[in-house]
Amino acid sequence: MTHTNPAVVAVTGESPRRFVYDFEHDHGVEPMGLKALLGGKGANLAEMTSVLGLPVPHGFTIATTACRAYLRHGWPLSLDHEIDEAITRLEAKMKRHFGDPVDPLLVSVRSGAQFSMPGMMDTVLNLGLNDASVAALVARTGDARFAYDSYARFIAMYGRIVLGIDAAHFDEHLHEAMDRAGVVAEGNLSAETNAALAAVYRDVVERHSGRAFPQEPRTQLREAIEAIFSSWNGGRARAFRDREGIDHELGTAANVQAMVFGNRDDSSGTGVAFTRNPSTGEPTAYGDFMVNAQGEDVVAGTSVTRPLSDLDYLFPDVANQLREVFARLEAHFRDMCDIEFTVERGRLWMLQTRPGMRTGAAALRMAVDMVNDSAIHLSRAEAISRITGDHLDQVLHPTFARTLTVAPLATGLAASPGAAVGRAYFDAPSAIDAAARGERVVLVRAETSPDDVAGMLASEGILTARGGLVSHAAVVARGWGKPAVVGVNSLLVFAHEAHVADVVIHEGDWISLDGTSGHVVLGEVELTSSTAPPQLDVILRWADEIRAGHLGVRANADTAADARAARARGAQGIGLCRTEHMFLGPDRLPIVRAMILADTDEEYHDALERLLDAQRADFVAILEAMDALPVTVRLLDPPLHEFLPDLDALLVQEATQGLSEDDTRLLAAARYWHEENPMLGVRGVRLGVLKPGLYAMQVRALLEAAQLRLAAGGDPRVEIMIPLTISAPELALARSWVMQAAEFVAHNYLTPLHFSIGTMIETPRAALVAHEIAAHADFFSFGTNDLTQMTYGFSRDDVEGKLMAPYLALGLLEHNPFDVLDESGVAELIRWGISRGRSSNPRLKVGVCGEHGGDRASIATLYDCGVDYVSCSPYRIPVARLAAAQAVLRRADSSPH
C-alpha cells in the first residue's frame, strides 16, 4: 500500500510526487497549508503572488519532497524534466531566455524551509551569467559597471556556496580593489575594476576547486539547487535546528526566481524590513536599506547600511508603496512580517516575507497589541501560542546593575537587548572550547556568518565591528535572546585580539556589553535582573485563564524567601518543599549530626526535640508565605552520610594529623552510613524505618506550625509527602507514623486541622504497582529526576559529564532525558502509574515535582499523561504557566471537532 500525504492531496488535488510549483499555480483555497510542501518562503511567495497580487518577480518552487528524495537517494529522475518545463514557463513570462547570449534570463536560487531559519542556509544571485551573457548584459543595459558587478558577485557567491571555497579568498581581492579605488561600497567600483575582479574570481575558483567556473547556465542551476538541498544538513543549519527544536527530516524547498537588480544604478537599491520593531514591538516599520546594492550586502553585515526611514527622501514613492504593502501583509498574515525587497530603477519588488524573529519584549507587546488591533484581531489563544519560553526568559534578562561610572570603551548599535559579561574570544571554535571549560564567553567578530552559529550559541553575548540591525548577528541574537551589540565602527578585530583606538582587548580579557544601550565596557560590570514589561502580566493572566481547571503550576520552594518569590511569579502553591535543605544551615547541621551520633535514646530524642523547634519555625514562615495555597512538604529524603564529613577526607586527616574524640565519632558514623550506591541505598522512607521518630518529629513540627498559623488567622493547607516508597505496606507504615504524630498534636490544640498524605513515585516498581500504593495515598507526586535515572540506569552526575554528549551527537538519544522528559519510556511509566493509581483511588490527585516541571515540551507530555499540576523552581514559574496553557491549547486543537 502506498502512503501519501493526505493534506497535500487535499489542498493541491494532485499527486505529491510532483516536485515543482509555479508561484502562480492554483494552490487551493489556503496556500499556507502547503508550508510543509513548499517551505515557508515558497508558500508565502505563492500567497503574495496569487492572493495579494503584490509585485513579486515570477518564479517557481522546488518542493521539500525533492530535497528529502535527494538527500536519501540522490537527484530524482523526474526533476530535470519538471525544472525544464518550469524554466520554459518562466521564459515566456519574462520574455527572455535562460542562457541566451543576447538577452539572458537571470535567476536567484534561495532556500526556504517550513520553519524560518534566517541565515542558516544558502542563496545564489545572478545565476545564468557567463563570459558571453555578461557582454550581452552590457550591450542591453548600456551599463558595464552594473553588468560586471553582477557577474563578479555571482562568481564569488557560486564559489562560496556551491563549490565550498572559503569566502576570504574572494574578500581579500574585493577589499584590495576597494582600497585602491578609494571607495567604501562595492557598488561604487568602476566597470573596469569589476571586470578585473570577475577574472580574478574565476582564477580563484579554478585554483581552489580544481575546475573552471561553469559557463553553462543549466549546469549552474543544477549545482546551485544541489547546494541548497545539501545546505539543509550543513553544520550551522543542524545547530540552529537543534536549538529551535526543528525536525532534521523536514528538508528545505528551493525557490528559483527571476532576478531584479538593486545594484542597477543609484535609482535602485535593496533592503530588509520588519513591519514592526523586532526589538521593542513598537508598531513602526524598522529595517536597513542600501542604494545600488544587492540583498546579500544588507544581511551579511559587511557594508554600512542606511535606516529604512531614509527611503522617505531617497525614493518617496517607493516608501509610500512599501508602507501600504506592510499594512496589507500584516493584515493578511496577522503577524509581524520580515520582508526582503528590491528597488530597480524606482520600481518596488517584493522578494520574500516570513514571520519576523523578535525579542521577548517585542513578542509580548506585539501579542497584546494584535489582540486589540481591529485590522488583525488576534485571539488570546493565538497570542499565547506565539510566545515561547525563551521570550519570557529574555524579558528577565540581566542588565547593568547601575549607571556606568566609566565611559564606555565603545558604542555600537543596540541589536538585541540584555547585558552580558564574559571573556572575549574571536572565533567560534575558541568560544565553544572556552564555554565547555565553564567560562562565560563573549564572541567578538568583525561580522558573523552562519558558520559562527555554534559559537554564538555557546556565548553569553555577541559583539561585532560591522553589520546593521538586520545583519546576521543581530537577527540570530534576537531570535535566541542573546544580548548583542553590532556595527561598532571603532572596533578593529584581528585573529586573537581587538583594538579600540589604543586599547587592546586580548583573548580571554573580560568585557561587558549592553544590547539595550549599545555600550561596550572593558572588564566585568555587575548585572542585575531587568524589569519585565507590563504585557508579561497580561499574557500570563490570559494563560492562567486558559489552563484554569486543566493544569496547575506550583513551585519547588524550600524556604520562606523561595515561597514568596514563587507566589510573586504566580505559583499556585508549593509542590515540593525539601526539608533536608533546612538541615544544612550552620545552626542546624550540628543538631543533625548530634542525632546521627546519639548513643542513647535520651541523646537521640533530645536532638529530635531541638530539630523540632527549628523545623517548626521554618514551616511557620513557609505556610505564612503560601497562606491559602497548598504546601507539599517532603519528609527527609537524602542518605544520612550527606550530613557527615567526607569519609575519604576524614581518613586522610586520621592518617596525617590524627583525629579528635569528636572527629573519631564522626569517622565511625561516616563508615557506618557509607554506601557504594547511595542513590539506591538508605534514603527516603527507608530512613524512617531505621531512624524511628525522625518522620514523626517532622510531621509534628509541620502540623504544630499549621496550628500556629490557624491561631493567627491564617489558612494553612498542608500536604505531607513520603519519599521513595516502593510498596503498599511501606506507605501504610509511613502513613501510620503521620497519623500518630497528628493525634499527638491534636491533643494539644482545639482547632481541627485538615491535611493530606501522599507519596513520591520515583521508581519503576512504584509506577507498576501504583494501584496498590494508591490505596494508602491521597496524592501522588512523580519525582521525574529519580524516575529517569532508575528507568535508564543512568547516574545523572556521571553520564552528563561523560556519556551524554556523544550519545546526543550520535543520535543514540534524541534529547538529554534529564532536560526533556522521555516520552516513550519514563512518560509511559507515568501514564501507567496514573491510570492504575486512579483505578483503585478515583480521587487521587497527581503532580510532578522533578525539573521536567519547568520544561515546555515535558509539560505538554505530562499534561497528556493526566497530571493535575506541575511543580518547578520559582524562577521557571512564568515559563511553566505559559507552557501549561499552550499544552491545553494543543490538546484542544488536536481533539476531533
Side-chain angles (χ1 to χ4, degrees), residues 134-154:
V134 70
L137 192 61
V138 173
R140 180 166 64 82
T141 63
D143 190 341
R145 184 215 61 81
F146 155 68
Y148 280 102
D149 177 42
S150 299
Y151 192 29
R153 290 170 183 269
F154 172 47

Side-chain angles (χ1 to χ4, degrees), residues 488-557:
V488 182
N489 295 326
S490 60
L491 180 70
L492 298 175
V493 181
F494 302 97
H496 299 289
E497 63 185 33
H499 296 188
V500 177
D502 57 351
V503 177
V504 180
I505 305 170
H506 298 96
E507 186 172 86
D509 283 353
W510 287 97
I511 58 172
S512 305
L513 61 88
D514 186 342
T516 304
S517 67
H519 293 328
V520 181
V521 178
L522 188 62
E524 294 181 81
V525 174
E526 182 185 354
L527 303 182
T528 187
S529 295
S530 63
T531 302
Q535 293 85 2
L536 176 62
D537 287 337
V538 176
I539 288 291
L540 291 178
R541 186 176 72 249
W542 292 348
D544 292 343
E545 291 170 0
I546 288 168
R547 67 181 177 83
H550 296 279
L551 187 59
V553 175
R554 300 190 190 181
N556 301 339

